[in-house]
Amino acid sequence: MDDKYVELIWNGKYDDVKLGNRTQIDYPDLPFQRIETVNKPRAKGANQNYLFPENKWPENYPKDWKNMLIWGDNKLVMSSLLKQGWAGKINLIYIDPPFYTGADFSFETEVSDSKIEKEPSIIEQRAYKDTWGGGIASYLKYMYERLVLMKELLAEDGSIYVHLDWHVGHYVKVMMDEIFGYENFIQEVVWNYGKMSKEAVGFRKAHDTILHYAKDISRVKFNQVYREKSEYKNRYRRYLINNKLYYSSVKFSKDKLILRRIEKLENELGRKIKDDDVLFDFDKELKPLSDVIYVSIIKGNSAEKIGYQTQKPEALLEKIIKASSNEGDIVADFFCGSGTTLAVAEKLGRRWIGSDLSKYAIQVTRKRLLDIHNSKDLIDEKKEKYGMPARPFEILEIGNYEVVYWKKNPEDYLQFIIKLYRANPLKGYKYIHAVKGERAVHIGPIDAPVSMEEIRKFASECVSNNLSRADVLGWEWNYDVNGLAKDIAKEEGLEDLRLYQLPNLNEIKAALAGTKLDLKLLKIPDQVIESKLIPVVKFYQLPYLEIKNKIKETEVVLEIKDFQIPISSDISAILSNIKDSRQLIDYWAVDWDYDGETFHNEWQSYRTKKDLKVEYEAKHVYEEHGEYSIMVKVVDIFGSDTNKIIKVKV
């Protein structure tokens, strides 16, 4: 070992496989599942203005490239990217990871005149425990595993920026010296955000730290970035002299260059210039950025603010992306949060990859990217060069370890879900897998949606065995389940088949009085993989989505008539303030010719900061007669999807 070698040690660092003094981090190659392709959507409120003009494209930007927004644990996301050939392909990584401040994954959203605080999901609770449960040691293990993977993903001329604060910056600095090499440390960048937060003891805090490392400092890419004109506009007084715009500041009154220019200007003006009248032409005096970047935090009334707790200003990311990447390069953010890095990369003509564990963050980012065309901060030259962003992107999700295992061991899968649901296994039946109290339980497959035929056979087996109460558990559901459920109920002699949560248990019992079978469809919580979390797992009934369609010749009009989501503690407090349950819709989109595999976003309407309501009607004119499958995707205010397929003949 190098006698100058320094390493940070923490409890549990070498609990995994050891290779010398390093930990080998190796994870399975998990497939990415394409949830949605945002290809040629129309802008909100516009019928024909596509967002992606094909005749305006940055150079060095492949025409067939689609940016990627990935939902899942970033450790698994990065591992799978490496296994799928992405090593050495990413030019710039910026991350704004948790600061070890004890913050959780809850978030606040607004509906009508009320604000709702959404509790973290099961997977977010698990991540919270993994990150902070063991104190600073578990946090450092969490960061170490991810930084090792990021180094492998970086191109040889690439950079990584890690945004931290005083809580853990010093620990992560030593860790990154070990992973990237002390010689590849470029600098500590200080973000001076100007907010003087009051501390209990000590000076007032007004900055964060950003650690900047190269993959190989001898090959690293760096472009000199200069202060923007807007910074001078905000910090200096303006003067118009001889049809030239000048800016002034007393700070420059003793600068020799400025003094010479003052003398020249005095000769031009024929008068003396006072000390508070010092002038310079900012077009000739733009200064290179230093390692202290002055960018204000996002104010509450800013148009850029979208209500995400840890949102960073676009001006900060713009400087980093301009400095360490070129047009067409790939920029990645594996803690993408509100999507600031991705939005700025999009505006600057870079390709991007983003991921986040929170489904809500994915939804916020999707809307932000779609809304770029409405942004007033896109300068004219960028609009002229690139047209109206954003360019095509895909929304993907990553699988988990258990899916790979359970596909090979279906009996273990059934036993796990039965235990998760706190039911008892039942043998001797084809479709009845367990019983919970007086309720028969059927568990849908791990690798396919629950089909209507599956529900039909389970219902028949229950009825033939005189079982009057039954639950179907599933991860995914065929898109026709919601719409055809009542038809099946009638065929089976069941007068009422409830798919959505009524306000309380008494109303459910009253609605089902006299029926032969009380059948409920319950969604297995996404990516629940630790048995220790079983006591807190909640199974919610499926949302109810009602859509009416009208057809006139080749025009189809869709209207959302009703949308109900399960009643929970998150929304029960504001129900009295909601006049229309459709206010719980955050976003909906339509694929007018669904191919049965990938959802192509061809129209969408979504809530914005200024308008908290979506349109409830969508129209489309087909160019040819025929039969079409229309898929509708609805995302509620908590980021959960509800999908439905409608068959039409035009």
Side-chain angles (χ1 to χ4, degrees):
M1 180 184 290
D2 186 345
D3 58 4
K4 296 181 180 179
Y5 177 74
V6 175
E7 180 183 357
L8 180 67
I9 299 292
W10 58 87
N11 182 36
K13 179 175 182 178
Y14 293 126
D15 286 350
D16 299 322
V17 180
K18 290 184 179 179
L19 287 178
N21 68 323
R22 295 287 194 274
T23 298
Q24 175 179 311
I25 298 177
D26 190 21
Y27 305 105
D29 177 6
L30 300 174
F32 292 112
Q33 297 174 333
R34 187 180 295 107
I35 300 174
E36 180 177 344
T37 294
V38 184
N39 196 11
K40 281 183 175 291
R42 293 180 175 84
K44 182 178 180 181
N47 291 324
Q48 300 297 332
N49 295 327
Y50 289 122
L51 301 187
F52 312 128
E54 295 171 355
N55 62 336
K56 296 180 179 179
W57 214 270
E59 296 179 8
N60 192 33
Y61 198 118
K63 295 294 189 294
D64 59 349
W65 170 268
K66 286 185 174 63
N67 293 309
M68 293 186 285
L69 179 58
I70 308 168
W71 174 48
D73 185 330
N74 55 19
K75 184 171 71 174
L76 300 181
V77 168
M78 290 187 285
S79 172
S80 295
L81 286 172
L82 287 170
K83 294 291 182 64
Q84 295 169 30
W86 282 89
K89 298 290 182 65
I90 296 175
N91 304 98
L92 168 63
I93 297 174
Y94 166 88
I95 59 170
D96 180 18
F99 287 178
Y100 191 64
T101 57
D104 61 20
F105 290 87
S106 63
F107 61 85
E108 194 172 72
T109 188
E110 188 174 350
V111 179
S112 187
D113 296 327
S114 303
K115 290 186 177 181
I116 306 172
E117 183 171 339
K118 176 68 169 64
E119 296 178 355
S121 66
I122 291 296
I123 186 173
E124 290 165 336
Q125 291 178 43
R126 186 190 61 144
Y128 179 90
K129 184 179 184 299
D130 287 348
T131 310
W132 289 291
I136 190 67
S138 63
Y139 177 83
L140 294 175
K141 177 179 173 62
Y142 172 91
M143 288 298 300
Y144 185 86
E145 292 174 337
R146 285 153 178 80
L147 288 168
V148 167
L149 296 171
M150 289 178 202
K151 181 186 178 184
E152 296 301 313
L153 289 167
L154 269 183
E156 291 305 309
D157 64 352
S159 290
I160 180 171
Y161 290 78
V162 180
H163 191 137
L164 300 159
D165 73 353
W166 61 269
H167 290 90
V168 290
H170 46 302
Y171 294 112
V172 176
K173 168 66 172 69
V174 178
M175 182 192 298
M176 293 187 73
D177 284 345
E178 176 191 338
I179 296 170
F180 289 87
Y182 177 82
E183 69 280 3
N184 290 314
F185 175 58
I186 297 177
Q187 61 192 162
E188 179 184 77
V189 178
V190 172
W191 171 37
N192 187 322
Y193 47 73
K195 179 184 179 182
M196 302 294 287
S197 61
K198 190 173 183 179
E199 306 296 330
V201 178
F203 299 105
R204 292 193 172 189
K205 183 177 178 298
H207 81 277
D208 282 350
T209 297
I210 304 173
L211 301 176
H212 181 196
Y213 280 78
K215 177 76 170 282
D216 180 349
I217 200 164
S218 66
R219 303 172 64 179
V220 70
K221 180 185 301 179
F222 189 81
N223 308 310
Q224 186 60 64
V225 179
Y226 295 85
R227 291 179 179 177
E228 299 290 341
K229 296 177 182 179
S230 60
E231 295 181 46
Y232 286 94
K233 291 178 183 178
N234 292 334
R235 296 174 62 193
Y236 302 101
R237 295 171 60 188
R238 292 186 293 178
Y239 295 85
L240 186 64
I241 300 176
N242 295 344
N243 294 319
K244 289 185 178 180
L245 185 61
Y246 293 88
Y247 286 74
S248 74
S249 169
V250 176
K251 297 177 184 177
F252 291 92
S253 61
K254 295 182 180 180
D255 185 289
K256 291 182 179 180
L257 177 62
I258 296 297
L259 289 173
R260 286 198 297 269
R261 294 198 172 166
I262 291 172
E263 185 178 355
K264 184 178 178 180
L265 283 171
E266 286 178 336
N267 291 334
E268 291 179 7
L269 296 173
R271 68 174 177 83
K272 288 288 185 181
I273 296 176
K274 298 178 181 180
D275 194 44
D276 62 351
D277 203 23
V278 179
L279 308 173
F280 68 96
D281 182 347
F282 72 82
D283 284 318
K284 296 179 180 178
E285 295 296 330
L286 292 179
K287 302 290 185 182
L289 282 181
S290 72
D291 59 3
V292 178
I293 300 177
Y294 293 89
V295 174
S296 298
I297 61 170
I298 303 173
K299 303 268 191 309
N301 59 352
S302 170
E304 183 181 326
K305 189 175 182 65
I306 57 177
Y308 207 88
Q309 187 177 9
T310 58
Q311 181 183 354
K312 300 301 184 290
E314 291 192 6
L316 175 64
L317 270 298
E318 182 179 353
K319 291 169 174 54
I320 291 172
I321 291 173
K322 282 182 176 179
S324 294
S325 69
N326 297 328
E327 290 181 354
D329 282 352
I330 299 175
V331 177
D333 185 347
F334 297 106
F335 296 85
C336 72
S338 64
T340 301
T341 305
L342 312 185
V344 175
E346 180 68 54
K347 294 177 183 181
L348 295 177
R350 274 66 168 173
R351 294 178 282 166
W352 53 262
I353 299 171
S355 73
D356 204 281
L357 185 66
S358 166
K359 219 170 186 181
Y360 179 72
I362 296 298
Q363 169 62 3
V364 168
T365 300
R366 167 169 47 191
K367 291 200 304 176
R368 185 170 185 175
L369 291 163
L370 285 170
D371 208 36
I372 286 178
H373 64 280
N374 288 329
S375 178
K376 295 180 180 179
D377 60 356
L378 274 182
I379 58 177
D380 292 338
E381 62 199 58
K382 290 296 183 185
K383 287 184 178 179
E384 178 62 28
K385 186 172 183 180
Y386 301 138
M388 304 297 270
R391 281 163 290 275
F393 65 95
E394 295 179 335
I395 299 178
L396 310 167
E397 71 176 18
I398 188 72
N400 55 49
Y401 305 111
E402 281 65 25
V403 170
V404 175
Y405 173 80
W406 285 335
K407 284 182 179 180
K408 299 177 182 178
N409 302 274
E411 187 59 34
D412 288 353
Y413 160 67
L414 288 175
Q415 294 306 313
F416 175 82
I417 300 300
I418 289 170
K419 183 179 179 182
L420 191 73
Y421 196 51
R422 283 164 281 176
N424 297 310
L426 198 61
K427 302 293 184 181
Y429 297 91
K430 189 171 184 179
Y431 295 99
I432 302 173
H433 296 129
V435 62
K436 183 177 182 179
E438 297 181 351
R439 305 192 70 84
V441 179
H442 172 78
I443 299 168
I446 183 63
D447 56 354
V450 177
S451 68
M452 289 307 305
E453 183 64 18
E454 189 177 347
I455 295 173
R456 184 195 305 274
K457 290 177 179 178
F458 171 60
S460 296
E461 190 170 49
C462 289
V463 170
S464 63
N465 285 279
N466 297 318
L467 295 170
S468 60
R469 297 177 177 85
D471 298 339
V472 179
L473 314 180
W475 299 85
E476 301 278 346
W477 306 81
N478 265 7
Y479 300 116
D480 53 357
V481 166
N482 193 287
L484 295 181
K486 290 186 178 181
D487 293 337
I488 284 194
K490 292 178 182 178
E491 291 177 16
E492 297 288 352
L494 313 176
E495 297 302 325
D496 197 340
L497 182 64
R498 286 310 217 187
L499 304 183
Y500 58 96
Q501 184 82 331
L502 293 172
N504 57 59
L505 186 61
N506 290 331
E507 287 191 37
I508 295 175
K509 291 180 177 178
L512 297 173
T515 62
K516 295 181 181 179
L517 182 65
D518 170 4
L519 181 62
K520 295 179 181 177
L521 307 187
L522 301 162
K523 191 176 187 310
I524 300 172
D526 292 313
Q527 299 184 356
V528 175
I529 63 175
E530 287 194 2
S531 59
K532 67 186 71 173
L533 291 175
I534 286 177
V536 298
V537 170
K538 295 179 181 178
F539 288 73
Y540 288 113
Q541 290 181 268
L542 294 185
Y544 174 70
L545 173 63
E546 181 181 353
I547 297 177
K548 299 293 185 182
N549 68 80
K550 299 177 184 178
I551 304 174
K552 185 178 181 181
E553 297 181 353
T554 58
E555 182 183 65
V556 174
V557 180
L558 301 181
E559 182 183 4
I560 296 181
K561 301 294 289 185
D562 193 12
F563 180 68
Q564 302 281 345
I565 64 176
I567 303 302
S568 66
S569 59
D570 296 319
I571 66 170
S572 58
I574 66 154
L575 286 177
S576 59
N577 295 333
I578 298 178
K579 297 178 181 179
D580 186 338
S581 61
R582 293 177 296 181
Q583 290 177 264
L584 298 173
I585 298 174
D586 189 57
Y587 160 100
W588 70 294
V590 182
D591 182 343
W592 296 103
D593 190 10
Y594 178 58
D595 62 8
E597 295 183 1
T598 301
F599 177 82
H600 292 271
N601 183 324
E602 297 181 301
W603 179 96
Q604 80 284 133
S605 178
Y606 48 88
R607 302 192 320 154
T608 65
K609 184 177 179 180
K610 294 181 179 179
D611 186 0
L612 293 177
K613 293 182 179 180
V614 300
E615 303 166 43
Y616 298 135
E617 191 173 272
K619 298 179 181 180
H620 180 70
V621 177
Y622 289 90
E623 295 180 358
E624 298 180 1
H625 295 271
E627 295 184 358
Y628 295 90
S629 293
I630 301 172
M631 181 172 169
V632 177
K633 177 188 289 288
V634 174
V635 181
D636 64 36
I637 57 174
F638 302 130
S640 300
D641 294 2
T642 301
N643 303 316
K644 188 168 186 176
I645 285 188
I646 300 165
K647 306 282 188 179
V648 298
K649 185 175 182 180
V650 297

